[in-house]
Amino acid sequence: MPDWVEYVKSRKGYEELLDKVLGSLPQDIRKAGDRTIVVNPVILHESRRTIITNFTDIAEALNREPQHLSKFLSKESGKPGTLEGERLLIQGRMTNEELRRLLSLYVKEFVKCPLCGGLDTKIVIEKRLRFLVCEVCGAKTPVRKL
Ligand SMILES: [Zn+2]
């Protein structure tokens, strides 16, 4: 019977072994997906319009073009939006809750790597097809055209 069998019998021994295994993994693999993106949309309601005043900041935090994010929001909510400087003007009422829900759907589909959960990604276009390329694990996943 090899020595390590005895060694893992005690719980402390097992935990030490686990630490050893986890400790030997490269840093970037353990860190994948740890980063979080904080977005705090600032919303104004003006008659029948919704204005997101810090819209370009949000797109920047997600590392995406404001046009791309705005297209997604319009498509998913069915409410047309217009970019105006740093703001996005949406025709119709959108609550903060609805916006946050749409933003998390956007992150899930167009920002977060489905393989490792990494958020450092970019969208590349190849032969008119779009891919989400992960800078953490290198995965390349097809994404739809908006
Ligand atoms: Zn990845």
Side-chain angles (χ1 to χ4, degrees):
M1 196 182 276
D3 286 343
W4 61 266
V5 175
E6 277 304 313
Y7 181 68
V8 296
K9 268 185 183 167
S10 73
R11 189 170 162 76
K12 195 176 180 304
Y14 174 73
E15 275 169 3
E16 271 171 25
L17 194 67
L18 198 66
D19 271 356
K20 235 175 138 182
V21 173
L22 290 177
S24 64
L25 288 175
Q27 198 73 9
D28 56 344
I29 290 177
R30 279 193 295 153
K31 282 278 171 71
D34 280 1
R35 195 166 77 86
T36 48
I37 296 173
V38 181
V39 287
N40 276 314
V42 182
I43 282 186
L44 287 177
H45 288 116
E46 193 182 82
S47 59
R48 265 172 274 136
R49 287 195 308 182
T50 305
I51 303 164
I52 307 171
T53 61
N54 60 343
F55 188 72
T56 51
D57 286 350
I58 295 170
E60 202 175 298
L62 300 173
N63 196 22
R64 290 294 174 268
E65 290 296 319
Q67 290 81 357
H68 189 256
L69 180 56
S70 124
K71 231 174 173 178
F72 175 86
L73 293 179
S74 304
K75 211 164 181 172
E76 296 299 311
S77 69
K79 296 174 181 117
T82 320
L83 279 164
E84 195 193 86
E86 301 197 331
R87 315 189 303 170
L88 180 72
L89 314 177
I90 298 166
Q91 296 300 321
R93 239 182 138 77
M94 190 184 283
T95 61
N96 205 299
E97 201 178 26
E98 189 182 358
L99 179 63
R100 279 170 189 275
R101 191 181 60 86
L102 291 173
L103 286 173
S104 66
L105 285 176
Y106 182 81
V107 168
K108 203 174 156 210
E109 190 174 357
F110 292 102
V111 183
K112 199 171 189 169
C113 170
L115 266 86
C116 74
L119 296 168
D120 294 300
T121 60
K122 60 185 175 194
I123 291 176
V124 296
I125 302 169
E126 274 174 29
K127 290 175 186 154
R128 281 186 286 160
L129 296 172
R130 283 153 175 79
F131 298 93
L132 184 72
V133 175
C134 177
E135 286 167 358
V136 182
C137 76
K140 195 167 155 190
T141 339
V143 286
R144 69 181 158 125
K145 182 184 186 290
L146 283 175

